[in-house]
Amino acid sequence: MQNAHMSALELKHAGLDARISEENQRPNPDMATITRLKKEKLKIKEAILGL
């Protein structure tokens, strides 16, 4: 069960990473969105490390 949860978190983490990259590629990146995504990504990373 814990492996499935960890896999789900890792997928979500990778998805956020992709969204951050996409936002950075835009001609006029929204820094508020990038900051929010990075905070969300950090929370997920902390959850993964806590498992």
Side-chain angles (χ1 to χ4, degrees), residues 1-25:
M1 179 71 174
Q2 197 170 12
N3 280 345
H5 183 62
M6 184 173 241
S7 294
L9 287 173
E10 288 171 345
L11 277 174
K12 196 170 183 179
H13 188 270
L16 286 169
D17 207 25
R19 286 175 59 195
I20 290 167
S21 291
E22 277 178 30
E23 190 64 36
N24 278 322
Q25 298 304 315

Side-chain angles (χ1 to χ4, degrees), residues 27-40:
N28 192 8
D30 181 355
M31 292 313 291
T33 298
I34 292 172
T35 300
R36 182 181 52 79
L37 292 172
K38 284 184 177 182
K39 285 180 184 177
E40 207 173 318

Side-chain angles (χ1 to χ4, degrees), residues 5-6 9-11 13 43-51:
H5 183 62
M6 184 173 241
L9 287 173
E10 288 171 345
L11 277 174
H13 188 270
K43 284 181 188 174
I44 292 170
K45 184 175 182 179
E46 289 171 349
I48 291 170
L49 293 175
L51 291 179

